[in-house]
């Protein structure tokens, strides 16, 4: 075959392939024209709900210290005695009248014995003086003794009686000192401080222990003068400790004065027994000062973007529309919608944080 013939054959084959490709392209173009328009796919599966109206408590927040309701100081009542035994330590729960410590009783017992002997001596002296006075009075009419002498015997008897009373008083004082060698709890409570040390010689009135009476604590909340009118005795309070634990309380009394430096008043709140609360803690709390109607949504339905709050309303075609709202109070897992919703809109709950304006969604169930 000549070169000319080969060239003719190649040209013919190329022309045939071109016609085939044109036919395929025409078929694909026809397919595109006849294909149905694509349906938008749902971008996310969500749940929905509607805002609800309900009565919400009005809270007043404050801060303050947790302190003992009353703290008793237990000290030494005798002077110069040596501590022989200490029976309790910080944190121990004690009962009224329980022995906390003992002093060495040897010295006071010796003093008591001496005072008892003085009483016996005074009783004997009184008996003799009374007998002398009685004999002198029998001789008053006989003239054997002058009136002055008789009066001297009577006065001696009265003096002996007074000395006996003084000796008995000294003995009673000694008995009290013996009792003071036993340091007892003045009330039920828990030991909050201990400075007593075995072997120490303490002076009268020196502090040995501190006791939180009844193991009762109170929260001393600082409330501004403006907010003070909203607080009253008997109101419920929830106090939050630094660890996050909550303690229930009740307002006992509101201070009658306002501090001139801070312009705050102290509100005394009785706390329920709770091991999470410790004296000396600085805690925050909320007073329940009333209630008011609130339109609210679950917190996950409200999306925060660029410092603004939004919700996504579900439209009829399963598309969502972004609505700007204003939030208010928060209670449990719900947030108040102060503005931006009428309450009739259906809004997205679960999945709202992943949506954008105009997204198509698939609804599976209403949030409860």
């Amino acid at each position: 075959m000549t070169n000319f013939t080969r060239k003719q054959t190649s040209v013919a084959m190329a022309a045939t392939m071109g016609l085939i490709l044109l036919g395929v392209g025409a078929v694909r173009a026809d397919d595109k024209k006849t294909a149905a328009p694509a349906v938008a796919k749902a971008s996310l599966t969500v749940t929905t709900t509607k805002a609800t109206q309900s009565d919400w408590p009005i809270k007043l927040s404050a801060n303050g210290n947790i302190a003992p309701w009353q703290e008793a100081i237990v000290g030494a009542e005798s002077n110069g005695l040596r501590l022989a035994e200490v029976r309790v330590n910080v944190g121990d729960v004690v009962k009224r009248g329980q022995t906390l410590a003992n002093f060495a009783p040897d010295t006071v017992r010796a003093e008591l014995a001496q005072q008892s002997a003085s009483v016996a001596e005074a009783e004997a002296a009184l008996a003799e003086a009374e007998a002398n006075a009685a004999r002198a009075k029998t001789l008053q009419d006989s003239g054997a003794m002058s009136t002055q002498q008789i009066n001297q015997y009577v006065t001696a008897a009265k003096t002996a009686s007074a000395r006996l009373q003084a000796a008995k008083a000294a003995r009673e004082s000694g008995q009290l000192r013996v009792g003071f060698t036993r340091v007892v709890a003045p009330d039920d409570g828990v030991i909050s401080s201990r400075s007593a040390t075995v072997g120490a010689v303490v002076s009268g009135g020196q502090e040995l222990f501190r006791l939180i009476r009844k193991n009762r604590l109170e929260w001393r909340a600082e409330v501004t003068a403006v907010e003070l009118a909203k607080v009253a005795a008997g109101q419920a309070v929830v106090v939050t400790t630094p660890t996050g634990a909550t303690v229930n309380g009740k307002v006992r009394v509101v201070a009658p004065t306002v501090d001139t430096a801070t312009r705050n008043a102290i509100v005394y709140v009785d706390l329920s027994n709770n091991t999470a609360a410790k004296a000396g803690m600085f805690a925050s709390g909320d007073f329940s000062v009333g209630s008011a109607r609130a339109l609210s949504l679950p917190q996950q339905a409200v999306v925060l973007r660029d410092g603004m709050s939004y919700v996504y309303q579900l439209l009829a075609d399963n598309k969502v529309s972004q609505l700007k709202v204003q939030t208010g109070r928060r209670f449990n897992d719900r947030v108040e919608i102060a503005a931006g919703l009428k309450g009739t809109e259906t809004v997205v709950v679960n999945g709202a944080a992943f949506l954008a304006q105009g997204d198509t969604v698939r609804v599976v169930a209403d949030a409860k």
Side-chain angles (χ1 to χ4, degrees), residues 38-226:
V39 178
K41 293 183 179 179
S43 63
L44 190 68
T45 299
V46 300
T47 60
T48 60
T49 189
K50 290 185 177 181
T52 59
Q53 285 273 4
S54 58
D55 286 329
W56 274 23
I58 300 175
K59 302 290 186 180
L60 173 63
S61 298
N63 297 314
N65 293 310
I66 297 176
W69 163 64
Q70 286 185 4
E71 196 169 30
I73 297 177
V74 183
E77 296 186 73
S78 292
N79 187 42
L81 298 182
R82 177 178 56 85
L83 265 174
E85 180 185 20
V86 178
R87 294 188 176 184
V88 294
N89 211 331
V90 174
D92 289 348
V93 178
V94 298
K95 298 292 184 181
R96 181 185 181 94
Q98 178 178 334
T99 301
L100 306 181
N102 285 314
F103 286 99
D106 301 339
T107 302
V108 292
R109 285 179 179 173
E111 291 175 353
L112 178 61
Q114 183 178 2
Q115 291 158 353
S116 297
S118 297
V119 169
E121 182 180 358
E123 287 176 342
L126 175 61
E128 181 182 3
E130 286 179 341
N132 292 335
R135 284 194 296 270
K137 286 179 180 179
T138 59
L139 298 175
Q140 183 174 6
D141 295 334
S142 65
M145 296 183 67
S146 66
T147 303
Q148 182 179 3
Q149 290 176 323
I150 295 173
N151 288 338
Q152 287 177 347
Y153 284 112
V154 172
T155 301
K158 291 181 179 180
T159 302
S161 177
R163 287 174 178 168
L164 175 61
Q165 296 301 320
K168 288 182 177 180
R171 184 180 62 182
E172 290 177 1
S173 177
Q175 291 171 342
L176 288 176
R177 280 177 55 81
V178 171
F180 292 158
T181 60
R182 178 171 168 261
V183 181
V184 299
D187 200 354
D188 297 347
V190 61
I191 301 297
S192 60
S193 173
R194 177 197 130 175
S195 55
T197 303
V198 173
V201 177
V202 300
S203 57
Q206 181 176 332
E207 178 181 320
L208 300 177
F209 304 96
R210 287 198 178 206
L211 174 74
I212 300 176
R213 295 188 59 195
K214 308 294 185 184
N215 200 16
R216 280 177 57 184
L217 298 177
E218 65 182 13
W219 180 51
R220 298 174 183 175
E222 296 187 13
V223 178
T224 65
V226 176

